[in-house]
Amino acid sequence: MDLLDILTDKGLRRELPTREEALAVLATTDDQLLDVVAAAGRVRRQWFGRRVKLNYLVNLKSGLCPEDCSYCSQRLGSKAEILKYTWLKPDQAAQAAAAGVAGGAKRVCLVASGRGPTDRDIDRVADTIAAIKGADEGVEVCACLGLLSDNQAERLKAAGADAYNHNLNTSEATYGDITTTHTYADRVDTVAKAHGAGLSACSGLIAGMGESDADLVDVVFALRELDPDSVPVNFLIPFEGTPLAEEWNLTPQRCLRILAMVRFVCPDIEVRIAGGREVHLRSMQPLGLHIANSIFLGDYLTSEGQAGQADLDMIKDAGFEVEGAEQTTLPRHRVHAAATGCGGHQEEGACGTGGGCGPCGGHGESAPAVEAAGARGAAGAVGAAEAPGAVAAPSTEDEARTDLVRVRRRGAGTELAPNA
């Protein structure tokens, strides 16, 4: 039996591959790539069918972070020309979330820059969750606020949060090379706090920071041990003005191999293609849907994604369907009776309210108004993409496509409609 047959068989039985098998996936050749995608696709369809879960990011507080994470455009000392603003008001955040939900997003991810939230910040986020769920009680809300202190996860849970996102990002051995202001252990502790409070844990990685294949396998195996409900796979967006601005190490083929390796190690966990999808997968994004079962809709925290309607068209054209609010994301065997975070709503034998993170309307807004907000976002995105000079001439083979990195100038924190 060859490698891919072994990995497919293990994935269908939820059996963990060996480290050597995971490393071998990353070492496959371009000639083998479609076979790798097909094998990972069999495992994906076994546990998630042809559904794609849509997530929508709302950046509650942008920039001005005291941490020194080398990959981040919001880091201490960053010279990236990103948007910088303090906390959005609850009604502003709810209005931003409305566009994503109108575009088909099942989950809203509330993100704030900083080391971690103060107790006052938790109160702010609690008010924001109330505003979002007051408009649509069925929407899933994931918070991503940095390192948690004691009892903060419990307070978020009580406020109605379904999940908490905190990524490991890279292997423990190399973590000190990308961040010095906190430790890998701090991140593991925050994921444990989310788990302990009954929140659905969402934790993932960033690929493309100069790490080795062994580092990638290490972090994915560490994530598997933490047992999150969802694993976002980010591909580094090398922002000018950050220490990793020149780290253009990824190709579309490399990204697909990484996604496949994650799927084989985490066969029945929600795998999300997160930041950098458009920059690095480019025209091969639809192949990624055969491996991952979740994506972000529209823009990211500080960079612009493709138009929300383009995401929806891509899903349909690739033969997949958007996961509905009434559908459960995770397989039944991963649904725990006492936990929220199954990624769906109450079904016979299911857990209840939903979970798994990695991108509802405003007060008193009618459904037509929410739909109009989504339509304005899509129209604005098309206009931005077609603006003269917005896209550089096609690059030569193997040349980094730096023209695809666009700083976000629309959506929450701006006067422009969001891209959803």
Side-chain angles (χ1 to χ4, degrees):
M1 186 179 290
D2 70 11
L3 171 69
L4 296 180
D5 288 335
I6 292 171
L7 288 169
T8 301
D9 184 60
K10 286 186 173 183
L12 297 179
R13 292 185 286 111
R14 293 186 288 125
E15 182 180 336
L16 190 67
T18 66
R19 284 182 49 84
E20 291 71 24
E21 289 165 346
L23 284 166
V25 174
L26 298 178
T28 53
T29 67
D30 287 351
D31 287 342
Q32 298 169 300
L33 184 63
L34 290 181
D35 293 329
V36 172
V37 172
R42 280 195 62 195
V43 178
R44 180 248 202 268
R45 290 192 302 276
Q46 166 76 11
W47 303 115
F48 300 97
R50 302 191 70 81
R51 293 174 284 113
V52 177
K53 181 175 181 177
L54 297 180
N55 309 266
Y56 189 71
L57 283 169
V58 176
N59 198 359
L60 297 178
K61 181 166 74 80
S62 182
L64 310 175
C65 183
E67 302 297 289
D68 68 354
C69 307
S70 300
Y71 52 82
C72 186
S73 59
Q74 304 182 79
R75 73 187 298 271
L76 178 69
S78 171
K79 294 180 174 56
E81 298 294 327
I82 62 168
L83 295 171
K84 297 181 178 68
Y85 53 85
T86 190
W87 289 91
L88 298 179
K89 292 182 172 57
D91 59 337
Q92 292 174 310
Q95 186 175 14
V101 175
K106 182 175 180 177
R107 163 163 296 184
V108 172
C109 301
L110 303 176
V111 188
S113 62
R115 178 179 177 84
T118 65
D119 287 341
R120 183 183 177 190
D121 294 336
I122 296 292
D123 290 337
R124 288 188 177 105
V125 175
D127 290 343
T128 299
I129 294 170
I132 293 172
K133 293 213 169 190
D136 183 349
E137 63 179 9
V139 69
E140 297 176 13
V141 175
C142 179
C144 179
L145 312 173
L147 301 172
L148 292 176
S149 302
D150 290 343
N151 300 316
Q152 289 185 327
E154 287 78 5
R155 290 179 61 195
L156 288 169
K157 172 74 172 176
D162 299 290
Y164 196 82
N165 166 256
H166 199 62
N167 296 328
L168 296 187
N169 290 329
T170 194
S171 69
E172 182 174 12
T174 59
Y175 195 83
D177 296 336
I178 64 166
T179 304
T180 65
T181 47
H182 61 267
T183 67
Y184 180 91
D186 291 332
R187 288 187 170 264
V188 172
D189 178 67
T190 286
V191 177
K193 283 184 168 68
H195 255 316
L199 291 167
S200 173
C202 171
S203 189
L205 66 142
I206 304 173
M209 297 189 291
E211 70 282 338
S212 67
D213 284 2
D215 291 323
L216 285 171
V217 170
D218 282 349
V219 68
V220 176
F221 271 68
L223 288 166
R224 174 66 186 243
E225 189 171 339
L226 288 177
D227 194 31
D229 287 330
S230 55
V231 174
V233 180
N234 295 276
F235 301 111
L236 177 71
I237 301 175
F239 265 95
E240 290 188 17
T242 66
L244 298 183
E246 303 302 320
E247 292 288 338
W248 288 92
N249 303 311
L250 298 172
T251 64
Q253 294 84 356
R254 171 77 169 168
C255 294
L256 290 171
R257 291 187 191 99
I258 292 169
L259 287 171
M261 185 268 288
V262 175
R263 172 56 73 203
F264 289 129
V265 177
C266 305
D268 57 344
I269 294 173
E270 178 189 341
V271 175
R272 180 176 313 120
I273 313 177
R277 164 166 62 93
E278 298 86 347
V279 175
H280 295 295
L281 279 171
R282 302 194 289 275
S283 62
M284 296 178 77
Q285 290 180 64
L287 284 180
L289 297 178
H290 287 271
I291 305 171
N293 63 296
S294 180
I295 65 171
F296 281 105
L297 177 71
D299 292 336
Y300 303 98
L301 294 176
T302 61
S303 62
E304 292 183 358
Q306 65 188 21
Q309 187 59 52
D311 287 335
L312 298 176
D313 291 343
M314 176 181 69
I315 291 168
K316 182 179 179 181
D317 291 347
F320 293 89
E321 62 182 24
V322 173
E323 183 173 290
E326 76 287 351
Q327 294 175 298
T328 302
T329 299
L330 295 178
R332 286 185 179 275
H333 64 265
R334 286 194 60 85
V335 175
H336 307 292
T340 62
C342 66
H345 303 294
Q346 188 65 49
E347 295 179 354
E348 184 177 354
C351 76
T353 58
C357 182
C360 137
H363 293 298
E365 221 175 4
S366 64
V370 173
E371 292 170 4
R376 287 195 300 273
V382 170
E386 294 176 352
V391 178
S395 51
T396 60
E397 186 176 3
D398 295 331
E399 183 180 340
R401 289 292 304 276
T402 57
D403 58 289
L404 293 176
V405 180
R406 298 179 187 165
V407 175
R408 183 174 68 81
R409 298 298 182 198
R410 58 196 174 207
T414 78
E415 296 180 354
L416 299 177
N419 176 26

